[in-house]
Amino acid sequence: MKHDPALQAPPMNQALLSRAYRGFTPLTRDLAKLEKALGHLQVAGGDAHADHIRALRAEMQAFAPSVTLIGQVKAGKTALANAMAGTVGLLPSDINPWTSVVTSVHLSPRRTKTQEKSSYRFFTDTEWSNLLTTGGRVGELASRAGADQELEKVRKQLEAMRDAARARLGDQFEMLLGQTHDYGYADSELVQRYVCLGDDSDGIPAQGRFADITRSADLYLSQPALPLPLCLRDTPGVNDTFMVREQITVNAIRGSRLCVVVLSAHQALSNVDLALVRLIANVPLRDVVIFVNRIDELADPAKDIPEIRASIEKTLKSLSIPAEAEILFGSAHWANAALCGDFEQMGRDSAAALLNYARYQDGATGQEKDTAALIWALSGLPALGETIAERTRCGDGARLLAGMAAAARNTAGAISAKRAMRERQIVERTSGTANMQDLADAIDRISSDARATLDQSLTTLTADLDLRLGKAQEAFVSRGTTSLIRHLEIYGEDVEWTYEPAGLRLLLKSAYNVYCAKTHKAADAILERAARHLERLFEATFNLSHTGFTLEPPATPEPPVPVMLGQTIALDIRGSWWTRWWRRRRSYDSYAADFRLLIEAEIAPIVTALSSDHAAPHASAVRKALDNFLTRQRGVILSLADQGDENLARLREEQGQTDEQQSHALNTAQAILADFAPVQRERAN
């Protein structure tokens, strides 16, 4: 099908969107300063450091804060994502409850309209077969609990889902699994074809042809109103039939440092949303924002919003989530109306709610001069954008700046040292050449010692994590079994017993946090010690202590967030299956034995995931950070040593031709980099 540009979304009010993200300005200003410093270092260092500087620039260019929107179905996540991206109507908001698509919108002010594209990935054959065989997470839980009726219900629904997919796709169904469809554009019609199930017309699908089997959609769009690239992930609601989307949402949150929990003003933190609370309870509080959407549907927002806020805070407190969690209120409906300038679409009741809320928010909107700006302010999007920018500045943005500045300062130090060596060689008419093999051997000894120490520490800490996780699992199961037996002895089998799994999650989270803290401390110390040893080797080899040459080690990578601790387990589910499980037992011993088997089977995948999907990748990232640092410094030091007598004539020529220009470039770069404070660490011996 040929792409028709006329199908693109209507023009957006770019000024409004720009205002929502102006909080990113300080970060973009600092990134521009670093880019300028790298440009000067390129001039000062020439070809010797060109590859490294290009790599640093590429890393800065690739930086794009990622925000994941999660919530239950019909909370208005997609409408909010459209408003946040300035793409009203692009993402379909009437997604079928069975759809399991994570839609990632990659926005960039550097991308032109002609460079826009989209990509759609389908479930693999293995993923689809596993869903049909096990029934997803619900099927797994039902199977372990012996809930045959629930399991059969899930299988029938899955068969209906499969039959619908076959009806839409025919013989292509199996062949499409595992494929990816790429396009050189993105519009609402194309997106709907892959993520939104719709009605058939005369047997031909009007929309959603591939929606049954689409797992993820990636849209790469131009957005000149943004000060820097931004990725918005719109996830399917977590309250789906098979919990497929719960796992997809877990993976999406892991891929972002900032999570926006979208609640409906009519149903803020309902029982369904407790699944969301379990997920966000495992995310650092600074990385979570709660956005209560659809306030346009409240009859009296001025009165209702304080009550909703109090209710949310009470619920969070009861679930041991700190009360200082950021809670914002707004309306994606209002935001989209403001962006496209179509105020009639708001409707009479929504307009009345807007006027009511305007009186409540008078202090915050009194300076707005036009209708669109007023509605935009009341929609909550500017407050959300400011919060996202502030969290990014203090989080991923700060880490990026610190890492880039440290690497740039190391490069500036190497360039300065090389200039000092060159000047000394010219003045003294000596090569100052070190024994390359001896120097290489010394560097390799430092590197081998650092790598061996890190490996030993990580092995010990990983073993300690596995031990802690095992103890946490056994402690929970033992306490649960004891509680069950006590209940049976006191109340007998006629009174149903329940056991809250919050304690299990707390124990597992504590074990993982201890591992992360100890790993971070050990890695910091090893990186710092390696830097100091390389510094001393440099000073001893080149006798250039007067240059003030220092090395800043890289920051230890951040560990993955254990979001999966919040995924649903058997004890979270109440209802008919639990009642039948309870009544099926034949003796006290049978209760205890079956309970132990059930919970152990539920906990095992979580424990395995913490170790293999979290701790192991983190350990690999830490090793990679050390390896990259050691490899880079080995090349720098050996290149400084590789200046023999045969180069003296060339050095004199270079000094006369480029010395003044390079000296100015180096001094300028160092002055810029001095504005970026180095990371404070304990000095290693």
Side-chain angles (χ1 to χ4, degrees), residues 19 357-368 373-374 377-378:
R19 288 172 59 183
Y357 191 51
R359 289 192 293 271
Y360 172 66
Q361 292 284 84
D362 184 61
T365 60
Q367 297 181 352
E368 302 299 346
L374 174 63
L378 293 171

Side-chain angles (χ1 to χ4, degrees), residues 426-464:
I426 293 174
V427 171
E428 299 177 359
R429 297 178 179 274
T430 59
S431 67
T433 304
N435 185 305
M436 293 290 286
Q437 187 58 54
D438 290 346
L439 183 57
D441 290 343
I443 296 172
D444 290 344
R445 283 194 295 272
I446 293 172
S447 299
S448 296
D449 176 69
R451 291 187 176 104
T453 304
L454 180 62
D455 282 340
Q456 183 178 6
S457 296
L458 291 175
T459 299
T460 300
L461 291 170
T462 301
D464 182 61

Side-chain angles (χ1 to χ4, degrees), residues 293-325:
N293 192 27
R294 299 176 66 176
I295 64 170
D296 56 285
E297 298 175 12
L298 297 174
D300 189 354
K303 172 180 175 294
D304 296 339
I305 286 176
E307 295 177 359
I308 296 172
R309 179 186 295 276
S311 174
I312 293 173
E313 290 175 345
K314 181 180 179 181
T315 301
L316 293 177
K317 184 177 180 181
S318 69
L319 296 167
S320 300
I321 295 179
E324 61 266 24

Side-chain angles (χ1 to χ4, degrees), residues 405-658:
R409 280 192 291 265
N410 286 343
T411 299
I415 295 172
S416 180
K418 184 174 182 178
R419 288 174 57 80
M421 288 180 62
R422 183 182 65 184
E423 291 169 0
R424 187 174 68 186
Q425 287 176 253
I426 293 174
V427 171
E428 299 177 359
R429 297 178 179 274
T430 59
S431 67
T433 304
N435 185 305
M436 293 290 286
Q437 187 58 54
D438 290 346
L439 183 57
D441 290 343
I443 296 172
D444 290 344
R445 283 194 295 272
I446 293 172
S447 299
S448 296
D449 176 69
R451 291 187 176 104
T453 304
L454 180 62
D455 282 340
Q456 183 178 6
S457 296
L458 291 175
T459 299
T460 300
L461 291 170
T462 301
D464 182 61
L465 171 63
D466 291 339
L467 182 62
R468 287 176 179 271
L469 292 175
K471 287 183 176 179
Q473 176 177 341
E474 179 56 34
F476 178 79
V477 173
S478 296
R479 283 202 300 267
T481 304
T482 300
S483 173
L484 173 59
I485 295 296
R486 185 181 300 117
H487 172 90
L488 291 168
E489 290 174 346
I490 296 174
Y491 301 104
E493 302 173 18
D494 295 331
V495 179
E496 194 171 292
W497 170 82
T498 60
Y499 195 56
E500 174 56 51
L504 168 65
R505 291 188 169 96
L506 184 61
L507 290 171
L508 296 176
K509 183 178 180 180
S510 175
Y512 181 71
N513 286 345
V514 168
Y515 161 81
C516 292
K518 289 185 175 181
T519 299
H520 201 286
K521 182 177 180 180
D524 273 357
I526 292 167
L527 286 163
E528 179 71 17
R529 185 163 56 250
R532 301 291 75 78
H533 287 171
L534 289 170
E535 265 185 22
R536 287 195 286 269
L537 177 63
F538 174 89
E539 292 173 358
T541 302
F542 302 116
N543 191 25
L544 290 174
S545 57
H546 65 281
T547 64
F549 180 80
T550 60
L551 280 179
E552 296 182 43
T556 299
E558 293 292 310
V561 177
V563 189
M564 36 70 62
L565 284 175
Q567 73 180 33
T568 304
I569 62 175
L571 291 178
D572 295 315
I573 301 177
R574 297 290 181 259
S576 58
W577 80 267
W578 179 257
T579 301
R580 286 194 296 276
W581 182 92
W582 180 257
R583 292 175 179 172
R584 190 177 289 122
R585 312 282 79 78
R586 297 182 179 277
S587 67
Y588 289 3
D589 289 341
S590 176
Y591 274 107
D594 288 356
F595 172 76
R596 174 177 286 275
L597 291 174
L598 171 66
I599 301 308
E600 285 180 345
E602 281 290 289
I603 298 174
I606 298 176
V607 171
T608 299
L610 280 174
S611 181
S612 61
D613 297 342
H614 291 67
H618 182 233
S620 296
V622 173
R623 288 189 178 95
K624 183 178 180 181
L626 175 63
D627 284 341
N628 289 345
F629 175 70
L630 293 172
T631 301
R632 165 66 181 163
Q633 300 314 317
R634 187 182 196 278
V636 168
I637 294 175
L638 290 180
S639 69
L640 289 175
D642 187 21
Q643 298 191 47
D645 292 322
E646 67 275 14
N647 293 326
L648 288 177
R650 179 175 54 80
L651 291 175
R652 291 192 185 96
E653 183 181 357
E654 287 181 355
Q655 185 184 39
Q657 292 178 349
T658 63

Side-chain angles (χ1 to χ4, degrees), residues 266-280:
H266 292 291
Q267 213 173 7
L269 283 184
S270 64
N271 289 335
V272 169
D273 288 318
L274 295 183
L276 293 175
V277 173
R278 287 198 303 269
L279 294 179
I280 65 174

